[in-house]
Amino acid sequence: MRQMCIYCFKWADIDTMTPIFEQGREFVNYYCEDCVNAAMDNLFKLPYKHACEPSRIH
């Protein structure tokens, strides 16, 4: 199964992507290996950074 990276909008195999759940949302965003570090850095700059964590789906 393939999923689109929400950060760079490239398609990749879902097994190589990192799901990140943001508290208060009903869905999980997926990030490719190239973007996950930048996405996490940006999420931890938010005022509600405690609400963001990698999902435990896989």
Side-chain angles (χ1 to χ4, degrees), residues 28-47:
V28 175
N29 289 321
Y30 287 87
Y31 298 92
C32 68
E33 294 172 332
D34 296 331
C35 297
V36 71
N37 290 332
M40 289 297 289
D41 287 344
N42 287 340
L43 287 172
F44 282 117
K45 291 178 185 174
L46 296 173

Side-chain angles (χ1 to χ4, degrees), residues 2-12 17 30-31:
R2 294 176 62 82
Q3 182 71 30
M4 185 188 304
C5 174
I6 198 73
Y7 199 80
C8 69
F9 303 110
K10 293 180 183 176
W11 288 92
M17 299 182 77
Y30 287 87
Y31 298 92

